[in-house]
Amino acid sequence: MLFKSPPYSALIPLLTQFGLKGLFFSRMHYEEYEKRKEEKELEFNWHSTAGDDSIFSSVLYQGYGAPDGFCFDTSCTDPPIVADPESPEYNLPDRIAAFLESLKEQASHYRSGNIMLTMGGDFSYQNARQYFTNLDLLMKYVNQNSTEYGFEMIYSTPSRYMDAVKSSIGDSLTERKEDFFPYADDAHSYWSGFYTSRPALKGYVRDCNNVLQVCRQVEVLVGSPYCDADKLWLAMSVAQHHDAITGTSRKHVADDYFRRLAEGQTFCEGVINRGLEKLSGLSTGSLESCRLANESYCEITSRAENKSLAVVVYNARPVNRTEYIRIPLRSQNYELIDLSTNKPVKLTFVESNPALNRVNSEALPYEGVFRAFLPALGYSSYRLQHALHPRHSQLLNSQPGDVASDITVQSQLYSVVFDGKTGDLKSITNKLTGESGMTDKIAARFLEYRSNTGDSVSEQASGAHIFRPAGNTAAEIGTPVLTNHMSNDQFTEIWQTHGDWINLVTRVYVDKPYIEVEWVVGPLPADQGREVILRYETSLSTNQKFYTDSNGREMIQRKLNKQEGGEPVSGNYYPVTTRAVLLDEETGMQLTVLTDRSQGGASLAEGQVELMLHRRTLEDDNRGVNEALDDALVVKGRHWLYYARFDSMSENRVLGQELFYKPTIAIALDESPQNPSQTYSDVAVDNKYINVATIINVDYSGDVFTYLLRLENIAPKMEGGKPIAVDLGGIFRGKTLLEFEEKGLAGDRPIENVVEDMEKYTMYDEGNVITLQPLQIRTFFATYKPSTEEKALGDRIMDLVCKYFVDC
């Protein structure tokens, strides 16, 4: 059983793979809730939008608290049950009568003859004895008169309740195949603000997940017998709370989430760096991370002065890839050597974005940019060689702005046109579609909605949960000014400012299938509530539809004004976890916007999609926070724009993986690794649609490791995804995994206890070669016996982590 709110349809196949049979939740649009109450359809079978999976679902009656008038905790004001007839406060008949009326009202909206009373709520049972004493009295007197009253009460569980409902009306349960967005609890209160609230925390959680996965991978690769990633794992687990990742906690609580994540990240970076030192042959304690690279600051490069630097770049993806690496530097006196070939690599210097001075006054003046080849589940090493007169390096200077003609930028896939005066995007051409390519107009505009603080229509204010703009039109923010135009044979950068607190850098890489849009927003002025969006306007004919991902998995079509209501803007906002898509069905072209964190998004006009980047409100929205969302942080983030034919949609899945699993960079002063490059992925997994979602060392006993291995086919069938065979025995190069046991998705029970038809489930498997169906995730326990040398290496790394990073 699972209690959840509000749920994504993408959860359904995952829940069934967990072995769960039922879902209970309490957040549903108020109009649909009232309709289902009237029609006695609060219980149904909910189907996935991308497969055959379904799960019994029940909407809780008026939330998950006690019936009105029957909360018996210390914090409640409802009168207790007084059953003694001699007491002057004797109220048993009246209380039983009121309780029966409540039961009859609830029962009138369900069909099975069973109802669930959720006798609890947030912070309940602070005085459990008092609460249960009153519940016992209610149950006693109802059951003594069950024939007369028509009710019998028992203490029960969600599983028993579900079984009772299904045995009564299971064959007549209705079916549903959509998710439950947008959600509103009245006509002017749409819960679409939390999709974006506290964007810095949302981005940091995404980054820490990347660190956690790399930490776990390195633990396995070096043979560490310890679960050293647990500190970050626990912090990440807490950050998934429904008032954490949503940004709906108070500020001091959000600060504590940041603190916990930072402490866990420090520990995991120690594991990663010590592991990479041993794998690459660098001296112990030499590698350091550049945690503040997004602010153009790196502690180790800031003190390098005239010293050379070794750079190790790790790739958590199970496929080879090339990425552009950016390292903050104090000077231009460097050239770059690929240590696997001992050949020079082109190094480009760009000036750091001055907008970052709003975040870090110590931001370094330059970023060194180079194209790195990264082997699958492995690393590459480079040397930033200090040189007074570097021969293979280049400083990109700004080209003249405010020109009369447009700026046209070419890549292998695109021809992109910018306005020569403002730097605004104007059009994009995909050169590989048709003889002359397909072209669409495109613009990127920063706008803001002013937060509503309550008006004559409704007292509802915009806040951490609720997005309610003061009007239905977003206002332009500042005037776009072109400040930099830099270009070489690898990439082009167009820099803009939009007023005093918004900066935009648009990058076109020659060999990448996306356009990178990097934004720096904040701090938002505190004179009034503001909700800042970046709107992409195109000439695509979208027929009042767009698509968003369902929690990173299948795509769901969203129609404008799905529900008629009093909030035409916030009522059309949806959660965008990883991507939003505009599709022109006539031309077959689509524009995908990939995000580096969860954001709210909408398509309010033909060919447009807007994503909310940041929010700062001045009023509490009265949904439990009791504090305004006064978020004064500066936030830096990225969008990747992918413009292509719809039949190449699966490629944006690969791009999403690349954006999600950013390369991990570690740097050492005056060092040269003995093993400059290594891959630990076998060709058996070298498929760009396969994701090694999880590798965890779950047990070490008797000199044998037990690993949890979770593999995912990231391509849905509707986007051209196909079954992919994977040889489990060849996942890691140089490590032969032995016995395999498949588990349910959570790894807590045998797969036979989850899957009803094992013959059908495994019909395409052959020995250790398993087949992953489109969008399928499978979990295995695998055993491995390390060599004596590997065991000694793992012990040594843990000793070093304890010495340098934590008191073990």
Side-chain angles (χ1 to χ4, degrees):
M1 294 296 106
L2 179 72
F3 283 82
K4 175 75 179 173
S5 72
Y8 291 88
S9 59
L11 279 172
I12 298 169
L14 302 183
L15 295 179
T16 58
Q17 290 177 61
F18 279 130
L20 298 174
K21 305 298 183 183
L23 174 68
F24 295 81
F25 63 98
S26 62
R27 305 294 188 195
M28 175 185 282
H29 193 281
Y30 72 99
E31 290 181 330
E32 181 176 355
Y33 175 74
E34 291 300 326
K35 185 174 185 293
R36 285 184 174 272
K37 272 180 60 179
E38 184 69 24
E39 298 175 356
K40 298 185 179 182
E41 300 293 352
L42 290 171
E43 290 165 333
F44 47 90
N45 287 320
W46 190 18
H47 286 263
S48 166
T49 54
D52 299 326
D53 300 287
S54 66
I55 193 168
F56 169 82
S57 302
S58 179
V59 183
L60 301 177
Y61 191 75
Q62 293 183 337
Y64 49 84
D68 291 343
F70 293 92
C71 175
F72 302 113
D73 211 358
T74 303
S75 59
C76 300
T77 59
D78 299 334
I81 309 294
V82 181
D84 182 2
E86 302 299 324
S87 171
E89 297 178 347
Y90 176 63
N91 63 2
L92 180 63
D94 291 340
R95 297 294 280 144
I96 291 293
F99 187 62
L100 289 172
E101 286 301 313
S102 176
L103 294 182
K104 290 176 183 177
E105 170 63 21
Q106 181 171 341
S108 70
H109 300 294
Y110 292 83
R111 293 192 289 119
S112 74
N114 302 277
I115 59 174
M116 176 187 287
L117 300 182
T118 52
M119 305 297 297
D122 293 350
F123 311 113
S124 290
Y125 293 90
Q126 297 179 51
N127 189 335
R129 179 184 296 274
Q130 175 176 298
Y131 214 131
F132 279 108
T133 296
N134 283 272
L135 289 181
D136 289 343
L137 285 169
L138 275 178
M139 294 178 68
K140 174 183 176 181
Y141 287 99
V142 168
N143 291 339
Q144 283 180 349
N145 301 278
S146 60
T147 302
E148 177 186 352
Y149 295 159
F151 290 98
E152 182 177 352
M153 296 178 65
I154 61 171
Y155 286 115
S156 188
T157 65
S159 293
R160 290 179 65 187
Y161 174 79
M162 179 191 70
D163 291 341
V165 172
K166 293 176 75 173
S167 66
S168 174
I169 61 167
D171 293 338
S172 63
L173 287 170
T174 57
E175 312 289 321
R176 183 191 173 93
K177 203 167 185 176
E178 295 179 289
D179 62 17
F180 291 92
F181 297 107
Y183 166 63
D185 55 23
D186 69 46
H188 300 283
S189 304
Y190 279 86
W191 290 45
S192 50
F194 77 86
Y195 306 155
T196 296
S197 296
R198 300 202 183 279
L201 180 59
K202 286 177 165 64
Y204 192 37
V205 169
R206 184 78 57 92
D207 288 343
C208 282
N209 179 70
N210 188 44
V211 175
L212 176 61
Q213 301 312 320
V214 173
C215 188
R216 286 171 163 171
Q217 287 184 14
V218 172
E219 280 183 336
V220 170
L221 296 180
V222 301
S224 171
Y226 306 95
C227 297
D228 307 330
D230 280 4
K231 190 174 183 68
L232 182 55
W233 171 63
L234 291 171
M236 283 288 293
S237 300
V238 171
Q240 304 314 303
H241 184 273
H242 65 248
D243 283 322
I245 186 64
T246 54
T248 54
S249 69
R250 294 187 182 184
K251 181 181 182 300
H252 73 276
V253 179
D255 291 344
D256 189 61
Y257 293 134
F258 276 115
R259 178 188 62 81
R260 292 171 182 268
L261 290 167
E263 290 176 355
Q265 182 181 4
T266 297
F267 193 82
C268 256
E269 285 175 346
V271 173
I272 295 167
N273 293 340
R274 301 297 78 77
L276 291 177
E277 286 163 3
K278 290 301 177 183
L279 295 173
S280 65
L282 287 164
S283 62
T284 299
S286 60
L287 282 176
E288 297 182 23
S289 300
C290 284
R291 187 180 299 186
L292 300 181
N294 67 319
E295 300 175 7
S296 285
Y297 181 77
C298 180
E299 173 64 29
I300 189 169
T301 65
S302 71
R303 64 176 192 269
E305 296 181 356
N306 297 326
K307 296 179 180 178
S308 297
L309 300 156
V311 180
V312 181
V313 187
Y314 181 81
N315 172 26
R317 292 272 288 130
V319 292
N320 298 332
R321 62 197 280 202
T322 57
E323 292 292 340
Y324 286 88
I325 306 301
R326 291 176 171 262
I327 298 176
L329 295 169
R330 189 171 293 281
S331 78
Q332 307 170 41
N333 296 327
Y334 290 98
E335 55 187 16
L336 188 70
I337 307 296
D338 183 340
L339 293 178
S340 62
T341 63
N342 282 321
K343 293 182 178 180
V345 175
K346 183 169 185 172
L347 178 64
T348 301
F349 293 97
V350 296
E351 294 179 355
S352 296
N353 192 334
L356 299 176
N357 290 322
R358 301 202 299 268
V359 184
N360 191 336
S361 61
E362 297 181 335
L364 298 178
Y366 303 102
E367 289 184 349
V369 185
F370 63 95
R371 186 174 182 268
F373 170 78
L374 304 176
L377 280 182
Y379 64 89
S380 292
S381 300
Y382 298 86
R383 184 174 181 82
L384 276 168
Q385 181 72 46
H386 186 266
L388 292 177
H389 305 288
R391 295 170 294 170
H392 303 283
S393 302
Q394 172 192 17
L395 173 66
L396 281 192
N397 294 311
S398 178
Q399 299 179 24
D402 195 23
V403 295
S405 60
D406 291 336
I407 301 169
T408 301
V409 180
Q410 304 288 345
S411 73
Q412 294 174 4
L413 181 60
Y414 301 127
S415 176
V416 187
V417 178
F418 296 85
D419 187 287
K421 292 185 177 181
T422 65
D424 282 342
L425 270 169
K426 293 186 68 174
S427 70
I428 180 172
T429 300
N430 185 310
K431 298 188 288 189
L432 302 185
T433 52
E435 293 183 5
S436 57
M438 289 294 297
T439 301
D440 273 289
K441 295 178 181 178
I442 183 170
R445 299 172 60 204
F446 285 99
L447 305 107
E448 65 178 0
Y449 295 102
R450 303 295 169 84
S451 304
N452 203 320
T453 58
D455 54 29
S456 59
V457 176
S458 169
E459 294 181 355
Q460 180 63 61
S462 201
H465 295 84
I466 307 295
F467 167 40
R468 185 174 183 236
N472 297 328
T473 304
E476 202 89 32
I477 302 175
T479 301
V481 176
L482 175 63
T483 59
N484 260 335
H485 165 210
M486 299 177 288
S487 184
N488 66 4
D489 60 356
Q490 291 184 329
F491 61 90
T492 295
E493 295 192 356
I494 305 291
W495 291 22
Q496 291 176 289
T497 60
H498 293 251
D500 296 331
W501 44 274
I502 291 182
N503 296 75
L504 183 70
V505 178
T506 306
R507 297 188 181 96
V508 181
Y509 294 99
V510 170
D511 56 345
K512 291 294 183 182
Y514 59 81
I515 299 167
E516 182 172 273
V517 178
E518 182 180 274
W519 42 269
V520 180
V521 177
L524 276 60
D527 57 328
Q528 57 189 336
R530 300 172 187 270
E531 331 245 358
V532 177
I533 66 168
L534 180 52
R535 179 182 292 165
Y536 296 98
E537 301 175 351
T538 75
S539 54
L540 294 168
S541 297
T542 52
N543 196 25
Q544 296 189 332
K545 296 180 292 188
F546 82 124
Y547 298 79
T548 68
D549 65 302
S550 183
N551 209 24
R553 296 190 46 84
E554 64 254 30
M555 301 298 293
I556 297 183
Q557 185 186 95
R558 309 298 191 182
K559 295 181 179 179
L560 186 65
N561 299 325
K562 173 186 175 183
Q563 291 156 329
E564 297 293 336
E567 297 294 333
V569 175
S570 58
N572 281 293
Y573 257 70
Y574 292 89
V576 178
T577 309
T578 62
R579 59 179 62 79
V581 176
L582 294 173
L583 171 63
D584 189 324
E585 295 178 354
E586 294 183 9
T587 64
M589 298 300 291
Q590 57 86 27
L591 177 74
T592 297
V593 185
L594 294 143
T595 66
D596 66 348
R597 71 201 68 204
S598 300
Q599 295 174 329
S603 179
L604 303 177
E606 193 73 357
Q608 294 182 5
V609 61
E610 62 185 53
L611 294 162
M612 188 174 289
L613 308 182
H614 205 342
R615 313 179 67 225
R616 187 177 191 177
T617 68
L618 304 183
E619 300 287 338
D620 177 52
D621 58 14
N622 197 29
R623 292 302 184 278
V625 182
N626 295 323
E627 182 180 279
L629 182 67
D630 189 16
D631 188 349
L633 295 179
V634 178
V635 181
K636 178 183 177 184
R638 291 186 294 172
H639 293 157
W640 283 1
L641 309 183
Y642 175 65
Y643 173 71
R645 291 193 59 82
F646 178 74
D647 55 18
S648 64
M649 274 283 288
S650 58
E651 291 305 307
N652 79 39
R653 296 277 174 172
V654 178
L655 292 178
Q657 291 290 303
E658 292 182 359
L659 183 58
F660 195 85
Y661 292 102
K662 295 184 291 189
T664 299
I665 302 169
I667 301 176
L669 283 173
D670 270 344
E671 290 278 341
S672 293
Q674 299 172 15
N675 307 308
S677 181
Q678 186 60 269
T679 179
Y680 297 94
S681 174
D682 193 87
V683 291
V685 202
D686 194 8
N687 185 305
K688 63 183 179 180
Y689 299 113
I690 290 293
N691 175 34
V692 180
T694 313
I695 309 171
I696 307 175
N697 171 19
V698 294
D699 186 49
Y700 178 69
S701 58
D703 291 336
V704 174
F705 286 100
T706 300
Y707 297 138
L708 184 150
L709 178 64
R710 191 172 285 126
L711 301 174
E712 175 187 18
N713 182 343
I714 65 172
K717 188 175 182 179
M718 66 178 64
E719 296 175 17
K722 294 179 173 57
I724 300 174
V726 177
D727 182 359
L728 296 176
I731 294 292
F732 300 114
R733 184 166 296 170
K735 283 181 180 285
T736 302
L737 302 182
L738 304 175
E739 299 177 1
F740 296 93
E741 179 187 5
E742 186 163 6
K743 299 281 190 177
L745 188 62
D748 63 338
R749 63 193 70 187
I751 190 65
E752 293 81 4
N753 294 354
V754 175
V755 175
E756 294 181 359
D757 189 345
M758 281 299 297
E759 183 176 352
K760 180 180 178 181
Y761 182 79
T762 60
M763 64 184 298
Y764 299 108
D765 298 348
E766 187 172 343
N768 288 340
V769 179
I770 60 104
T771 298
L772 287 164
Q773 299 300 322
L775 219 58
Q776 186 181 27
I777 305 174
R778 296 177 69 173
T779 302
F780 299 87
F781 276 17
T783 57
Y784 171 69
K785 187 170 184 178
S787 65
T788 303
E789 293 78 11
E790 285 179 303
K791 183 178 182 302
L793 174 61
D795 289 339
R796 177 61 177 154
I797 288 173
M798 185 57 189
D799 290 342
L800 292 169
V801 170
C802 293
K803 177 180 178 181
Y804 285 94
F805 287 92
V806 69
D807 183 5
C808 295

